Amino acid sequence: MQMDSIGVGSLPIVALIGAFSGIVMTLQMSRALATYGATSQTGQVVSISIIRELGPVLTALLIAGRNASGIASELGSMKVTEQIDAMRALGTDPIQKLIVPRLVATALMQPLLTAIADFVGLMGGLLIAVTIIGNTANQYWSSAIDILALNDMVQGLMKPFVFAIVISLVGCFYGMRTSGGTQGVGLSTTKAVVVSSVWVFVIDVLITQIFVSLT
Amino acid sequence: MAKPILKFENVSLSYDGKLVLDKINLTVNEGDTFILLGAAGSGKTVLLKLAMSLIQADTGRIELLGHDITHLKETELFGIRSEVGVLFQEGGLFDSLNIADNVAYPLRNQKSLAAPEDEIAARVLESLEFVELGHTLDKFPSELSGGMRRRVGIARANVTNPKISLYDSPTAGLDPITAHTIMSLIVKQRELRKTTTVLATHRYQDGAMAANYHWNNAMHDVVRASPYGTYADLNTTFIVMDEGRIVFSGTQQQLEASRDPYVSQFVLHQPPPKLGQSGERGHQLPA
């Protein structure tokens, strides 16, 4: 159920944002590349930007906004209406029942969503590269694929995995610590989104630094 | 001699530097009815949660069903909690589960109570019929009224046939008729299933009903256990709490005789008459 909510539920918005980021990226780069007469390299620039950075970070921010808030508000509501106390009183460990499924679902779904966002972003770039810049589809794809190294692929999948763990744990943390009725639920939800978004950028810098130093 | 089923020894607890419970000592014996009276914020809910170790005391010792639960791990507590029924102030029903699944929850999740699904279904139905809500199996908590949700809460608390039931403000926010129904069900549970009962409430009427009424199966209602104007002997102890301290402990007769301004407000709904004045209660206006 959590996988459905986090994965399938987030798919349309992730795909939409992926497509638009690919389109905008290609439009912006085309002007700069045209200055140097290098519009044939559009695929390279778009693919590196999307696979390494835009795909993982934009997807993470969407998941933070959609799912960290969802997790925090759901668990927060359960906390203030004593459902979590009831769960413990009736023989269930809330960590096993509530936190682990959300953590696992986010950790599995977010890399998949990122891969989809990357693909849709590259397709968006292809659309602009072919219709406006004048590249051929073959030219775009070969330059986009050839530039990618194993390092980029690992980076592009490792980031969403780590982001997912942080986003779900932050959502669960603020949800489980909610107090003060409905106002408290709102506060927890806001904190979960803000804190998880900040963590996404901090971790992004750290992982990027690690991969940069490896090459 | 009656066996202690719940015992607090010098239990204290602070939240954010504020003392919430201050050296609480109490003993609930098997078969007793224990009424915790107190204003909002006096520590009733905290005391009930400590009794199940849902929160940990800072100091002191808590014994439940013969086990020292003060420092037990969560996993070690599950077996002990399976013998305790609890109705939370907010009901604590799971929004995402229907009524049947809510009531079946302890039977499906307590390892010591594991049973086949058909037996669970039968016990759920029996428990819901006990609170006269056998027709709500497929409904969700949001489809029920506040009073019905409390009744489902009672059904869930008692579906495991617990040795002790803890009720946290079961009548709070309910109209007098529904409150009477809820208290009748608590008395019915106590008498038909011989359950030790701890009831936290701010309503003296609830305590008085638990202390003086018993369940009459033939009439299918509660009836007074002693004539009006007398006190029934139903092993009922009243405790009054104020800002985390027990300020009164005794029988209903002693409670009604108390001249402590805080304590007597629960009985009289106003401060006690001042000695030396006329027999009327309350303040006298100057002539």
Side-chain angles (χ1 to χ4, degrees):
Chain A
M1 202 176 93
Q2 292 302 323
M3 287 197 189
D4 181 53
S5 159
I6 294 167
V8 181
S10 306
L11 186 58
I13 184 76
V14 164
L16 190 74
I17 298 298
F20 278 108
S21 62
I23 289 168
V24 171
M25 189 73 201
T26 312
L27 282 171
Q28 293 284 11
M29 284 299 129
S30 67
R31 240 174 33 168
L33 291 170
T35 314
Y36 305 104
T39 48
S40 60
Q41 309 301 310
T42 307
Q44 285 188 12
V45 179
V46 173
S47 98
I48 285 181
S49 317
I50 288 182
I51 304 281
R52 283 187 193 166
E53 280 303 320
L54 288 178
V57 171
L58 286 178
T59 307
L61 291 176
L62 282 172
I63 299 286
R66 192 178 178 278
N67 296 105
S69 60
I71 291 171
S73 62
E74 195 180 353
L75 298 189
S77 301
M78 289 184 77
K79 182 84 192 310
V80 299
T81 54
E82 295 182 309
Q83 291 180 52
I84 289 174
D85 279 339
M87 206 170 251
R88 292 174 62 207
L90 300 175
T92 331
D93 181 358
I95 293 173
Q96 290 295 323
K97 194 90 174 174
L98 299 173
I99 295 177
V100 172
R102 283 163 175 80
L103 178 67
V104 171
T106 317
L108 288 177
M109 286 295 127
Q110 195 162 326
L112 276 175
L113 287 169
T114 305
I116 292 168
D118 290 348
F119 176 72
V120 177
L122 287 174
M123 292 300 284
L126 172 72
L127 181 73
I128 299 302
V130 171
T131 58
I132 296 177
I133 302 173
N135 285 359
T136 64
N138 224 358
Q139 194 180 18
Y140 174 84
W141 276 122
S142 49
S143 80
I145 303 296
D146 288 349
I147 191 70
L148 293 176
L150 182 67
N151 178 307
D152 300 313
M153 304 305 282
V154 174
Q155 188 178 163
L157 287 174
M158 191 185 201
K159 278 183 181 176
F161 181 74
V162 179
F163 292 158
I165 291 171
V166 172
I167 289 169
S168 53
L169 286 181
V170 168
C172 290
F173 175 78
Y174 283 106
M176 297 293 274
R177 278 174 56 102
T178 304
S179 61
T182 47
Q183 198 182 9
V185 176
L187 201 64
S188 294
T189 308
T190 310
K191 276 184 184 169
V193 174
V194 172
V195 172
S196 58
S197 301
V198 171
W199 273 112
V200 164
F201 286 109
V202 172
I203 291 166
D204 186 42
V205 170
L206 293 174
I207 295 179
T208 304
Q209 177 58 40
I210 291 168
F211 277 90
V212 166
S213 62
L214 282 177
T215 50
Chain B
M1 193 180 153
K3 201 169 109 190
I5 205 162
L6 174 66
K7 210 169 175 180
F8 278 56
E9 288 174 5
N10 276 322
V11 174
S12 295
L13 176 71
S14 299
Y15 267 146
D16 298 329
K18 189 183 173 245
L19 200 58
V20 182
L21 286 184
D22 186 11
K23 291 181 189 142
I24 298 292
N25 286 290
L26 59 85
T27 303
V28 181
N29 290 321
E30 201 168 5
D32 278 1
T33 300
F34 219 79
I35 312 293
L36 288 169
L37 286 171
S42 58
K44 307 186 296 290
T45 297
V46 173
L47 195 146
L48 290 187
K49 287 188 177 174
L50 277 168
M52 293 194 80
S53 207
L54 292 173
I55 44 181
Q56 298 283 320
D58 294 338
T59 56
R61 183 174 177 276
I62 301 167
E63 201 177 287
L64 177 65
L65 297 160
H67 304 274
D68 181 353
I69 62 164
T70 325
H71 302 295
L72 283 188
K73 289 180 194 160
E74 190 80 1
T75 46
E76 295 169 326
L77 286 162
F78 287 149
I80 302 168
R81 286 179 186 155
S82 68
E83 298 186 78
V84 181
V86 61
L87 172 67
F88 289 94
Q89 193 169 3
E90 301 282 346
L93 297 182
F94 304 119
D95 300 329
S96 55
L97 302 182
N98 66 19
I99 299 305
D101 289 338
N102 258 290
V103 178
Y105 196 91
L107 299 173
R108 289 193 180 126
N109 289 282
Q110 304 268 23
K111 281 184 188 155
S112 56
L113 302 171
E117 268 305 312
D118 51 348
E119 191 188 322
I120 289 176
R123 285 177 69 178
V124 166
L125 186 62
E126 183 203 346
S127 198
L128 279 168
E129 279 174 349
F130 187 86
V131 297
E132 293 160 23
L133 287 176
H135 58 285
T136 61
L137 284 167
D138 298 325
K139 290 191 183 297
F140 280 83
S142 58
E143 297 175 74
L144 303 185
S145 68
M148 287 167 93
R149 284 202 292 272
R150 301 278 169 90
R151 282 153 69 187
V152 173
I154 292 174
R156 187 177 69 178
N158 295 314
V159 71
T160 57
N161 287 328
K163 289 183 177 160
I164 178 169
S165 290
L166 312 174
Y167 301 100
D168 188 4
S169 304
T171 60
L174 299 179
D175 62 87
I177 298 166
T178 312
H180 177 87
T181 308
I182 298 290
M183 281 310 303
S184 303
L185 290 170
I186 290 171
V187 170
K188 183 180 172 186
Q189 166 70 25
R190 177 186 71 184
E191 310 237 334
L192 295 186
R193 293 177 175 169
K194 310 288 176 215
T195 315
T196 305
T197 302
V198 178
L199 170 71
T201 180
H202 62 273
R203 283 166 34 102
Y204 175 66
Q205 306 96 298
D206 295 347
M209 188 161 165
N212 294 295
Y213 284 76
H214 64 72
W215 180 256
N216 186 312
N217 231 359
M219 292 174 69
H220 199 70
D221 200 358
V222 286
V223 291
R224 271 197 76 91
S226 66
Y228 279 99
T230 61
Y231 298 99
D233 182 18
L234 295 176
N235 292 333
T236 309
T237 303
F238 284 80
I239 291 264
V240 181
M241 295 188 69
D242 182 22
E243 295 188 351
R245 288 174 299 115
I246 292 177
V247 293
F248 172 87
S249 174
T251 62
Q252 185 187 11
Q253 195 169 4
Q254 289 165 336
L255 177 69
E256 290 191 352
S258 172
R259 297 200 56 83
D260 179 281
Y262 177 79
V263 172
S264 59
Q265 279 188 77
F266 285 97
V267 182
L268 305 172
H269 302 293
Q270 57 182 321
K274 287 178 184 165
L275 290 173
Q277 291 183 340
S278 72
E280 288 177 52
R281 287 172 177 167
H283 300 286
Q284 285 189 331
L285 293 170

